Amino acid sequence: MSARVLPEVLPETLSGVLPVTPKVLRAYRLSAYRAGGLDVRIGRRVSGVAGRGDIVFVSACNPGGRRYPDGWNARMMARLYERLRGVPYVGGEGRLGRWGEPLVATWLPLARGKRLARLFRQNAVVLVRRGQVARLVLTD
């Protein structure tokens, strides 16, 4: 059995976003997202949101909800952190059962957050706004 070869290129040159499957979509909706003291569940109001504007939860790991090796995910997260230089963000985690992956909560307008997510072939972000329920937003 041969090893899976993964691209070692900048995110802009990676192929497009993979279509989200019903199983992956369900997993996104059931996951818990935590960063910077925020505990977020899709469809629920989030307490502790201060200020105005969008908070976008985004990861660079496991594009399209497909599992990638830890080393590859770590390199992609490092590239995400580079992209966020000068933008306020806090590290966090998305978790469903034993599955977990790093993410960031960043203070960006939704459109910029979606563009950033697409660079890393992510098919969704989590949007948090004060006084509203958290939403899963597809990047297509």
Side-chain angles (χ1 to χ4, degrees), residues 31-98:
S31 292
Y33 304 91
R34 294 184 177 94
L38 298 177
D39 190 2
V40 177
R41 295 282 185 144
I42 304 302
R44 297 185 188 166
R45 290 192 189 281
V46 181
S47 62
V49 178
R52 300 170 69 95
D54 297 340
I55 301 171
V56 179
F57 283 64
V58 64
S59 179
C61 296
N62 303 315
R66 277 70 170 186
R67 183 85 171 114
Y68 278 70
D70 292 341
W72 191 91
N73 284 329
R75 288 188 297 279
M76 292 300 106
M77 285 302 292
R79 290 180 178 155
L80 175 60
Y81 300 140
E82 289 171 13
R83 287 272 175 186
L84 290 170
R85 235 179 280 160
V87 175
Y89 73 90
V90 292
E93 180 184 56
R95 177 159 294 282
L96 178 60
R98 292 184 302 173

Side-chain angles (χ1 to χ4, degrees), residues 60-135:
C61 296
N62 303 315
R66 277 70 170 186
R67 183 85 171 114
Y68 278 70
D70 292 341
W72 191 91
N73 284 329
R75 288 188 297 279
M76 292 300 106
M77 285 302 292
R79 290 180 178 155
L80 175 60
Y81 300 140
E82 289 171 13
R83 287 272 175 186
L84 290 170
R85 235 179 280 160
V87 175
Y89 73 90
V90 292
E93 180 184 56
R95 177 159 294 282
L96 178 60
R98 292 184 302 173
W99 176 286
E101 66 183 45
L103 54 72
V104 296
T106 183
W107 283 258
L108 284 173
L110 176 58
R112 281 186 61 199
K114 286 173 61 175
R115 264 194 318 273
L116 180 66
R118 280 192 299 264
L119 286 176
F120 293 92
R121 295 187 300 153
Q122 301 298 304
N123 48 26
V125 298
V126 175
L127 175 65
V128 174
R129 290 181 173 149
R130 189 171 79 176
Q132 297 183 17
V133 298
R135 292 178 27 218

